[in-house]
Amino acid sequence: MTEHNQIARREAMVDHQIRGRGIGSPAVLDAMRRVPREAFVPDNQRNVAYHDTPLPIAANQTISQPYIVALMIEALDLKGGEKQQLAVGGRLVLPVGTDPDSQKLLRITRVSEHEFETENLGAVRFVPLIGEAGWEEPGAGSRRVFGSRGMSAPDQRLVERITQVAEPFDSVDELPLDGLLERIGDSRLVLLGEASHGTSEFYRARQRITRALIEQKGFDFVAIEGDWPDVAHIDHYVRHAGYPPSEWTAFARFPTWMWRNEEVRGFVDWLREYNASRDPGARVAFHGLDLYSLYQSIDAVLEYLEDVDSAAAAAARKDYDCLSPYKPDPAEYGRRVEGADFANCQAPVAAVLHNLQAQQHEYAKHGAERFLNAVQNARLVVSAEAYYRSLYDESHSSWNLRDTHMFDTLEALLAHHGKGSRGVVWAHNSHLGDSRATEMSRRGELNVGHLCRQWFGDAAYLIGFGTNTGTVAAAADWDAPMEIKTLRPVLPESYEWLCHETGLAGFLLSLGQGADSEVRCSLSTPRLQRAIGVIYRPDTERASHYFETELPRQFDEYIWIDHSHAVTTLDSRELKGMPDTYPFGL
């Protein structure tokens, strides 16, 4: 790669990754522009030197993500001429934590001979400190003494027991469902996870389970980790609703492949056909739980109010104008919040939701479904405003706000569909497994699974998924092109390794109260679990994609697929000639 290209990449890195996240020191920005990061990485990493990620170097260590480098340097507040970092007035910036997966970046300032001031700069994840004073290696001690097969005797016994009690299958198309449906019983919510957003088998398995829940147990709706107005396109289509086509294409922004794929399309077409012979009020619905559609939701609220109450529409438009300047980049709103003279939009967007809800009796005359859609879009705007306002907070409140919004939406759907209604949820393992059983809880994070357990108890059935090798649809960075990436084999310290060692192509494993006690007890020892979202970075897989969990507390059931394949993205040529209301239109 030419020097000119590297300079251009450095400039883009500074603009988007560093200054774009709030680093403002001119000296730091200038240094990040001038230092050739590619000179500090192995030759095979030079072409990705300016990606938004840590990169592997020698001795199983990494060079930190560019933003973290800039953050730490800016936190030192250097003026020039500094020599002794622990002299009075000296500053030390370092990651601190009890284990590699739970660290905080601290700035320690010596304010007097015997006084130190400590500031928390946020959560970070650094690779383990090595050497005489380093961290204990994962798996050290009696828990993991690997033998000739790379596995301790207790783990070998556990693998053998899993093989005995699991329900095997060779293909997700032959997924054994009778026992699973019996274990689900009368649960009101069934949460179906995934270990990545780009694996075909996870979508196909969820489809088979969901079809059985609808056909055999009468479930009323499916809710997915997608934005409410985008998923409303699917809902209108599968319920044969008389809505006009939207002015925008659903699921057209990154990551498009997450829902615009052949696996989802197959389920959507099945559900439309299933609903065709049912009365309108008995048709199974399809809803979105997520909150990233801020401006589409604003437009949907205003369009609804223009139709039912023009005066209220004018007032809502004035309230929503507060957010108009940030339409090109909603994250910019979060960056501006800390300004001394900044007036946030919390009150005006909340007023729109309150006014809508206050008129429920009158507005619902225009249709209960239309009112639900308007209120949920207004609720989404409130949550999205809070989400973007907290995005650059050093706490983890943005994650909690997002998952709380998804859970609140789920509760609203159960209320809307009536007493005794039942729903299926499709989202990532990290959202649907109980966070209290994972290292997320140590960071103060909650999720949908935790909230469902808390409020619905045994009436929520949580199912996780895992895989070993194969391919996955993912990107290297946010907004980067989708690639078909090859999965690395799972780590020996992980739950997935135990599953792989069974030699089974796939299986269902019960983990709930009625599960095999030996398996349940043995699996309760914390281990690593792999999580891949829309981004996959195999070169830093341990740091980027593994976290610690206690599997039996996290899920009621675990579905293993040893070798998997990437989702199949939609071929636009096949969409020509479809009706304007088709949810996956061009």
Side-chain angles (χ1 to χ4, degrees), residues 13-14 18-19 23-35 69-82:
M13 174 194 72
V14 171
I18 299 174
R19 184 167 56 194
I23 301 296
S25 166
V28 173
L29 296 176
D30 181 61
M32 297 300 291
R33 284 193 189 95
R34 290 190 291 112
V35 174
V69 174
L71 175 67
M72 294 177 72
I73 296 172
E74 185 178 60
L76 289 171
D77 194 24
L78 300 174
K79 307 299 183 185
E82 290 89 351

Side-chain angles (χ1 to χ4, degrees), residues 69 207 220 281 299 344 390 400 454 566:
V69 174
Q207 177 183 161
D220 301 280
D299 290 343
N344 69 53
S390 68
N400 290 351
Q454 184 174 347

Side-chain angles (χ1 to χ4, degrees), residues 156-409:
Q156 184 61 44
R157 166 61 187 165
L158 174 56
V159 167
E160 292 170 357
R161 187 60 183 166
I162 291 174
T163 307
Q164 292 169 0
V165 303
E167 297 178 54
F169 58 85
D170 292 326
S171 165
V172 292
D173 298 325
E174 303 167 359
L175 203 66
L177 295 177
D178 290 345
L180 175 62
L181 294 178
E182 183 177 347
R183 292 188 290 275
I184 288 172
D186 295 328
S187 297
R188 193 174 183 190
L189 290 170
V190 176
L191 278 53
L192 296 173
E194 60 185 4
S196 87
H197 286 317
T199 298
S200 174
E201 283 79 3
F202 298 155
Y203 286 83
R204 288 158 51 207
R206 292 194 298 202
Q207 177 183 161
R208 281 186 51 76
I209 295 168
T210 303
R211 286 181 57 171
L213 291 172
I214 291 170
E215 293 177 318
Q216 300 181 41
K217 288 183 174 287
F219 273 62
D220 301 280
F221 66 87
V222 180
I224 70 172
E225 187 188 337
D227 296 329
W228 179 273
D230 277 346
V231 184
H233 289 2
I234 294 179
D235 186 49
H236 300 162
Y237 180 73
V238 300
R239 287 205 276 173
H240 303 263
Y243 284 80
S246 173
E247 295 180 359
W248 77 89
T249 301
F251 313 111
R253 66 181 184 277
F254 183 91
T256 57
W257 68 91
M258 183 173 168
W259 299 115
R260 286 178 65 86
N261 60 59
E262 292 289 354
E263 289 78 3
V264 173
R265 181 189 184 186
F267 178 75
V268 167
D269 289 345
W270 172 85
L271 187 55
R272 177 177 169 85
E273 183 178 351
Y274 176 83
N275 279 332
S277 61
R278 300 170 67 86
D279 293 335
R283 290 171 180 164
V284 178
F286 204 93
H287 299 296
L289 299 175
D290 224 333
L291 51 60
Y292 290 121
S293 57
L294 175 58
Y295 292 96
Q296 291 170 349
S297 290
I298 286 175
D299 290 343
V301 173
L302 294 177
E303 182 181 356
Y304 174 80
L305 288 175
E306 289 286 0
D307 187 50
V308 303
D309 189 338
S310 58
R317 191 177 302 277
K318 183 177 179 181
D319 285 331
Y320 283 155
D321 277 346
C322 177
L323 288 167
S324 295
Y326 310 101
K327 191 170 185 177
D329 180 14
E332 178 65 21
Y333 176 70
R335 290 191 284 268
R336 296 285 185 89
V337 166
E338 297 302 322
D341 299 326
F342 183 84
N344 69 53
C345 303
Q346 181 178 10
V349 300
V352 177
L353 174 61
H354 175 76
N355 293 338
L356 258 175
Q357 292 171 324
Q359 295 297 321
Q360 178 176 359
H361 179 72
E362 189 65 29
Y363 290 171
K365 294 177 182 177
H366 299 272
E369 292 291 341
R370 292 186 65 201
F371 180 73
L372 169 70
N373 189 57
V375 167
Q376 188 53 41
N377 275 302
R379 183 179 287 119
L380 188 153
V381 174
V382 170
S383 296
E385 183 278 332
Y387 174 83
Y388 286 114
R389 177 160 40 86
S390 68
L391 201 56
Y392 294 94
D393 192 316
E394 68 180 35
S395 71
H396 289 273
S397 57
S398 60
W399 172 277
N400 290 351
L401 281 167
R402 182 183 173 208
D403 271 54
T404 298
H405 170 82
M406 290 198 282
F407 175 76
D408 289 345
T409 301

